[in-house]
């Protein structure tokens, strides 16, 4: 169970993390500036396990990977929106941040409401109601389960390597 932080339609990546902070050397240094132009205290108030709920076209704008990365670094459990900009969606999956399309949730929740996500079932519960969301395809769920694309690829490569047998005459 986490708290909802609700944001508007067409929220762009510059509103998530402004370009001047991309010069900071680490995501941990950048994350304190997340949503700074919309809510200067956001990074102080959010807790691991909380959720971002967005409207249409969440994460539009430039294709910076730092936008989903700062959300993950702050402990955001998932971003649930009516729709996502395609590159934000892929960047989020690639770094292991769940992004879920849920058309009905946005219009029925408020900033500060509580929410629970059942990712593998594609279900969100909030305010005593259940909302059906788009379930992730198994391969995307697998990427998230392993912590992102690189971790998934590394695990798959290690598994393939362990399965190889050289010589031995068995």
């Amino acid at each position: 169970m986490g708290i909802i932080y609700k944001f508007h339609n067409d929220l762009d990546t510059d509103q998530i993390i402004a370009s001047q902070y991309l010069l900071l050397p680490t995501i941990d240094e950048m994350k304190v500036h997340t949503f700074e132009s919309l809510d200067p205290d956001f990074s102080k108030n959010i807790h691991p396990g909380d959720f971002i709920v967005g409207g249409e076209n969440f994460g539009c704008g430039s294709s910076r990977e730092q936008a989903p990365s700062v959300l993950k670094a702050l402990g955001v459990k998932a971003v649930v929106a009516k729709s996502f900009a395609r590159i934000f969606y892929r960047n989020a999956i690639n770094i292991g941040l769940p992004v879920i399309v849920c058309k009905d949730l946005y219009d029925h929740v408020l900033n500060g409401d509580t929410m629970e996500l059942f990712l593998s079932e594609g279900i969100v519960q909030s305010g005593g109601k259940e909302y059906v969301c788009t379930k992730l395809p198994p391969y995307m769920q697998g990427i998230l389960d392993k912590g992102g694309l690189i971790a998934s690829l590394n695990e798959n490569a290690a598994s393939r390597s362990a399965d190889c047998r050289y010589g031995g005459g068995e």
Side-chain angles (χ1 to χ4, degrees), residues 89-90 93 136-146 149 152:
Y89 186 88
R90 290 303 305 172
I93 295 293
L136 293 172
Y139 75 94
M140 282 184 156
Q141 183 66 54
I143 290 170
L144 288 175
D145 291 345
K146 291 176 180 139
L149 183 61
S152 177

Side-chain angles (χ1 to χ4, degrees), residues 161-170:
S161 177
D163 288 342
C164 291
R165 305 286 184 249
Y166 296 101
E170 293 182 277

Side-chain angles (χ1 to χ4, degrees), residues 62-91:
S62 62
S63 62
R64 60 184 66 145
E65 186 176 292
Q66 295 91 338
S69 294
V70 294
L71 296 176
K72 184 177 179 183
L74 286 169
V76 169
K77 186 165 185 166
V79 180
V80 181
K82 284 187 171 190
S83 67
F84 290 92
R86 184 179 53 180
I87 193 71
F88 179 88
Y89 186 88
R90 290 303 305 172
N91 281 338

Side-chain angles (χ1 to χ4, degrees), residues 59-120:
C60 59
S62 62
S63 62
R64 60 184 66 145
E65 186 176 292
Q66 295 91 338
S69 294
V70 294
L71 296 176
K72 184 177 179 183
L74 286 169
V76 169
K77 186 165 185 166
V79 180
V80 181
K82 284 187 171 190
S83 67
F84 290 92
R86 184 179 53 180
I87 193 71
F88 179 88
Y89 186 88
R90 290 303 305 172
N91 281 338
I93 295 293
N94 287 346
I95 60 121
L97 176 67
V99 282
I100 308 301
V101 174
C102 192
K103 298 282 185 191
D104 298 325
L105 180 70
Y106 184 83
D107 295 324
H108 297 96
V109 296
L110 300 172
N111 199 44
D113 286 353
T114 59
M115 181 176 115
E116 192 165 2
L117 172 65
F118 301 92
L119 187 61
S120 59

Side-chain angles (χ1 to χ4, degrees), residues 3 5 39-48 50:
I3 302 296
Y5 289 83
D39 178 358
D41 295 323
F42 177 82
S43 67
K44 295 174 193 153
N45 294 330
I46 194 155
H47 295 95
D50 287 344

